[in-house]
Amino acid sequence: MMPWTDTTRPLPERVEALLAEMTLDEKLAQLGSVWVGAELGSGNVAPMQEAFAEPAAFEEATAHGMGHITRPLGTSPVDPADGARRLAELQRDLIARSRLKVPAIAHEECLTGFTTYHATVFPTPLGLAATFDPEGVERMTTAIGESMCATGAHQGLSPVLDVVRDYRWGRVEETFGEDPYLVGMMGAAYVRGLESTGLVATLKHFAGYSASQAARNHAPVSMGPRTLRDVILIPFELAIREGGARSVMNSYSEIDGLPVAADAGLLTGVLRDEWGFEGTVVSDYWSIVFLLNMHQVAGTPGEAGALSLAAGIDVELPHTRCYGEPLAEAVRAGAVPEELVDRAARRVLRQKGELGLLDAGWTPTVPDGPLDIDPPEHRALAKELAERSIMLLANDGTLPLRPGQLALVGPCAADPLAFLGCYSYPNHGVMAGHPDMGLGVEVPTLLDVLGHALYAPGCDVMDDDPTMLLAAVEAASAAELCVCAVGDRPGLFGRGTSGEGCDAADLSLPGIQDELVEALIKTGTPIVLVVISGRPYALGRYEGRVAAMVQAFLPGEEGAAAVAGVLTGEVMPTGRLPVQVPRVAGAQPSTYLHPILGGNSEGVSNLDPTPLFAFGHGLSYTTFEYGEFALSAAEIATDGSVEVSCVVRNAGERAGAEVVQLYLSGPVAPVTRPVTQLAGFLRVELEAGEAARVTFTLHADRTAFTGVDLRRVVIPGEIGLALGASAADVRGRLTLQLVGEEREVGHDRVLTTPATRSPV
């Protein structure tokens, strides 16, 4: 028995024994990856794939072993059982031919579900964030992890923890919104679900990616250290500490001229030295070679590899370009210390040990028969989450729908792909080359669900052809009520209006959809505007001119039924906005998380960024009353905690759910602070007439901020607390005094605000 396969020995000891046995080439192989079948992929599924997809044959690439196998089931459409058997064959081949017989880690994408053919498509993360339901997200990712593990996968490249800074950015749909606490809590839940199945969760994109100039994908980031630490990094810290994430993926960004892939201050200083992270850092696809030809901070592949290795990237994905022979030459020439190679290899091998890949007798996963990765229980969960994600933004009493002649118009009404995110398999680029294979899962449309309606698309999402407008106007004119479904066509790299590389010039509805809505309004028929999109669009021009507005952020394969349920009243709307809805298309970028000068400062500018609908907003078919606001103490020490509570009552005639939100502001500080920021939330289900007391346990650490000298501190002063239904719908205010000495806090500070409900 080789000593590293002996499970009776401590894992660190086994790893050191294996590392000591390895040659330099074998160590470097563990830092590499191989993408089998990438040359056969139909359409780009990663940035600049056509320029960089030059993988060596599997036999050549794995001559000395291998760290990762890239997307063995996600690269081309394959039956899941067949894909699992093919992956098992690759693992057996690798073990048989390599001297040390160490299997590879197989990674896959899984943002809205396992990104492979026939897998359940859940709501996109922006839609999941609208549920304000971390427990539901954890159940979802447990289901995803179980499907992935059944095929032999070991690592999922999710969740995305970027905080939205500009709604025009194409990847807004992949995020959990614009508040770092909400993003972190939903992200930690996402991680817990994946990790509970044994799968390694990968946090991305660390860090700053979402703050790119002009919201362009991969554009430079101009950001100061306080915003980076107090907004951008918070979700990653939460997901590591509260979720247990074991992997992090670097960002493509360059922050103030320093590419993250070469930033030891972030990848080692913050991540490992400050936070104590012990997992692996994997490169975003080709981000190491981007140092050579996109950022131009390296002159050769070996120099790029040396920069990333020193910064703290352990594994090069999606295939080996810089960490193979170019890095080996640099080590042999004395330009790169072999200790850096050992450091990265040690982390990879430890993770393989945690996954059981070093154990004696390990064999790859091989299914006995067919694999159902869209089973009824997954579809039921997808439906539940979709229903909870739909937001009723405005309603003059027209909704729920009443019997009568209904017109259904709009380009998103009959397009199943409009309901799915860009990282769902049907929208992810691969299926474009296989038009005869269908979507792989059943995705009903709004027309399918509301089939009795007069239907006309009116226009397409992505072009300016007005020839279909007249038929839509005629359908609306002939109806008593018109439901208009507008929004996005998700895709990748310009093949859609939302998604990776699909950035927006402004926040008008894509194409001529605004013209369509205006034409429908002129008919005089009441209009219910349904927006199915991956980002919020400016809807202020329709305020008071349409009967109702409903927002759905790409709600997944069961999304159409969820939207229809809200329209008809069969489903109580409970979704809340994880981003604002802008009033006008050009008043952005602006999120709710801003200092005074970031909002409407009368007399300072003629532009008013006040949103049409605030962060946290969402209506219901019942009403909720708040009262009995209380603090357990009027003052606490700067290291103390306090209970903040209120009573919430369902004053309507139907059961519903309210998302009770706690916001804080202050104290007066030497650096500017947000006007208000989310400190806690709790989704509360209440029967008609039922009441509950909601209590938040708020620690003084939750008021911490990065000061002038870049130390994170809690300072004494007055804290304003607000309880309510959104950042703008405050139902009660309280004041808390922090007393005592200023405190410096670190990674061990309190990061969360526990919330509970109790009977009244």
Side-chain angles (χ1 to χ4, degrees):
M1 178 182 291
M2 294 175 286
W4 54 87
T5 67
D6 184 356
T7 58
T8 66
R9 303 174 68 173
L11 181 57
E13 184 179 310
R14 296 166 61 195
V15 168
E16 292 304 320
L18 177 53
L19 192 62
E21 179 68 22
M22 286 181 160
T23 65
L24 175 61
D25 287 334
E26 288 169 335
K27 293 173 186 176
L28 287 170
Q30 294 301 312
L31 314 189
S33 57
V34 59
W35 194 352
V36 180
E39 71 281 359
L40 303 177
S42 45
N44 287 353
V45 297
M48 303 184 72
Q49 178 177 329
E50 293 177 352
F52 294 112
E54 302 170 356
F58 184 78
E59 293 76 11
E60 177 186 353
T62 59
H64 300 289
M66 183 49 61
H68 275 239
I69 295 175
T70 294
R71 300 194 65 181
L73 278 82
T75 299
S76 58
V78 62
D79 175 84
D82 292 341
R85 285 189 279 270
R86 172 59 178 152
L87 173 56
E89 291 173 6
L90 292 174
Q91 293 279 32
R92 291 193 194 97
D93 185 31
L94 171 62
I95 292 169
R97 289 188 301 100
S98 59
R99 183 176 74 93
L100 298 175
K101 306 189 180 306
V102 177
I105 293 172
H107 74 256
E108 296 280 0
E109 297 282 3
C110 59
L111 189 69
T112 62
F114 188 1
T115 309
T116 194
Y117 195 50
H118 292 308
T120 305
V121 181
F122 294 94
T124 201
L126 196 62
L128 295 172
T131 69
F132 279 73
D133 181 13
E135 187 274 339
V137 170
E138 186 172 343
R139 287 189 287 126
M140 180 196 80
T141 52
T142 300
I144 294 170
E146 290 170 349
S147 290
M148 294 178 70
C149 288
T151 67
H154 306 107
Q155 184 164 347
L157 302 187
S158 289
V160 170
L161 297 185
D162 297 297
V163 179
V164 173
R165 303 299 284 171
D166 187 330
Y167 309 138
R168 297 173 299 173
W169 190 50
R171 305 191 78 166
V172 166
E173 66 170 73
E174 299 180 45
T175 77
F176 289 112
E178 66 184 58
D179 180 85
Y181 184 66
L182 176 63
V183 174
M185 293 297 285
M186 302 300 277
Y190 193 110
V191 168
R192 283 194 297 271
L194 284 186
E195 292 277 356
S196 72
T197 68
L199 208 70
V200 174
T202 307
L203 311 182
K204 58 188 194 181
H205 308 86
F206 189 78
Y209 189 25
S210 57
S212 57
Q213 293 175 4
R216 291 180 59 250
N217 196 34
H218 291 213
V221 171
S222 299
M223 175 181 289
R226 272 174 286 278
T227 300
L228 181 68
R229 286 183 171 269
D230 290 348
V231 177
I232 300 299
L233 296 184
I234 296 295
F236 294 93
E237 194 173 7
L238 264 167
I240 289 170
R241 221 179 77 183
E242 304 294 325
R246 289 184 286 169
S247 188
V248 170
M249 175 181 282
N250 76 285
S251 163
Y252 288 124
S253 306
E254 56 179 68
I255 303 176
D256 194 24
L258 178 58
V260 172
D263 190 347
L266 265 178
L267 300 179
T268 297
V270 171
L271 184 61
R272 297 194 185 276
D273 297 342
E274 292 185 28
W275 296 356
F277 179 69
E278 296 183 347
T280 59
V281 176
V282 300
S283 79
D284 206 342
Y285 285 13
W286 296 292
S287 63
I288 297 177
V289 75
F290 281 0
L291 296 177
L292 171 66
N293 51 31
M294 300 294 284
H295 301 291
Q296 294 189 345
V297 297
T300 66
E303 289 177 5
L307 285 172
S308 291
L309 186 68
I313 294 180
D314 303 312
V315 180
E316 181 179 16
L317 301 181
H319 58 79
T320 308
R321 174 79 179 271
C322 301
Y323 271 17
E325 187 56 34
L327 195 53
E329 292 176 0
V331 173
R332 293 184 181 115
V336 174
E338 190 167 351
E339 289 79 7
L340 291 179
V341 177
D342 291 349
R343 181 181 71 174
R346 183 177 289 112
R347 293 166 182 163
V348 175
L349 294 174
R350 182 172 62 237
Q351 195 148 91
K352 288 189 174 185
E354 293 170 354
L355 291 166
L357 298 179
L358 303 184
D359 296 355
W362 179 87
T363 56
T365 299
V366 181
D368 295 332
L371 280 181
D372 186 356
I373 54 176
D374 185 30
E377 58 270 25
H378 288 193
R379 292 197 71 100
L381 180 55
K383 181 179 181 182
E384 175 189 333
L385 292 170
E387 290 175 348
R388 293 186 173 194
S389 76
I390 309 303
M391 292 149 284
L392 178 62
L393 301 182
N395 185 21
D396 66 2
T398 297
L399 295 180
L401 296 175
R402 298 169 181 83
Q405 182 61 63
L406 179 69
L408 177 62
V409 303
C412 296
D415 180 5
L417 296 177
F419 292 85
L420 312 180
C422 74
Y423 266 75
S424 67
Y425 204 68
N427 274 338
H428 200 52
V430 174
M431 295 308 298
H434 304 272
D436 298 332
M437 295 187 69
L439 301 182
V441 290
E442 182 181 353
V443 186
T445 68
L446 202 52
L447 179 61
D448 294 329
V449 182
L450 299 173
H452 61 281
L454 300 172
Y455 168 67
C459 64
D460 290 327
V461 169
M462 296 185 66
D463 66 39
D464 298 335
D465 182 1
T467 57
M468 294 186 287
L469 288 175
L470 179 59
V473 168
E474 290 175 346
S477 299
E480 297 173 54
L481 181 70
C482 176
V483 172
C484 179
V486 295
D488 279 318
R489 176 62 162 77
L492 296 177
F493 310 113
R495 298 195 299 272
T497 59
S498 174
E500 185 174 0
C502 298
D503 311 312
D506 63 34
L507 295 171
S508 304
L509 288 169
I512 60 169
Q513 292 180 91
D514 279 315
E515 293 180 34
L516 170 64
V517 179
E518 289 286 354
L520 296 174
I521 290 173
K522 290 177 182 177
T523 66
T525 301
I527 307 298
V528 174
L529 185 64
V530 178
V531 184
I532 305 166
S533 64
R535 64 166 62 84
Y537 284 105
L539 303 179
R541 66 193 295 178
Y542 306 123
E543 184 179 18
R545 301 174 66 211
V546 297
M549 298 186 199
V550 173
Q551 175 71 59
F553 289 126
L554 307 179
E557 66 184 25
E558 290 289 342
V563 171
V566 167
L567 295 177
T568 62
E570 294 180 11
V571 173
M572 176 66 76
T574 62
R576 301 294 184 265
L577 283 170
V579 288
Q580 300 176 128
V581 170
R583 187 174 297 275
V584 296
Q588 304 297 320
S590 177
T591 74
Y592 97 99
L593 201 68
H594 59 74
I596 290 174
L597 289 181
N600 181 26
S601 300
E602 187 174 351
V604 173
S605 172
N606 62 308
L607 296 179
D608 181 2
T610 303
L612 178 62
F613 299 112
F615 176 87
H617 171 77
L619 303 179
S620 177
Y621 295 144
T622 186
T623 57
F624 297 95
E625 297 176 348
Y626 287 66
E628 300 184 35
F629 303 96
L631 285 174
S632 61
E635 67 176 38
I636 60 172
T638 53
D639 62 352
S641 62
V642 66
E643 290 188 348
V644 188
S645 67
C646 67
V647 171
V648 182
R649 184 180 305 276
N650 183 347
E653 298 179 352
R654 292 186 57 180
E658 175 74 322
V659 177
V660 181
Q661 300 160 48
L662 172 66
Y663 293 87
L664 66 81
S665 58
V668 174
V671 297
T672 60
R673 305 288 298 126
V675 173
T676 189
Q677 63 187 85
L678 184 69
F681 62 90
L682 185 67
R683 180 185 172 94
V684 184
E685 306 275 351
L686 294 170
E687 296 294 326
E690 185 183 9
R693 178 168 289 279
V694 176
T695 302
F696 297 94
T697 302
L698 178 71
H699 196 280
D701 286 2
R702 296 285 286 111
T703 70
F705 62 93
T706 302
V708 174
D709 56 3
L710 300 185
R711 295 183 306 120
R712 181 175 276 116
V713 294
V714 177
I715 65 173
E718 183 175 285
I719 303 295
L721 300 173
L723 289 152
S726 79
D729 186 3
V730 174
R731 306 297 181 89
R733 296 187 184 274
L734 299 162
T735 301
L736 175 68
Q737 292 291 332
L738 296 185
V739 298
E741 299 296 319
E742 176 180 304
R743 295 174 52 238
E744 181 176 359
V745 296
H747 178 59
D748 60 349
R749 72 192 185 281
V750 176
L751 293 174
T752 63
T753 304
T756 59
R757 64 172 288 174
S758 57
V760 176

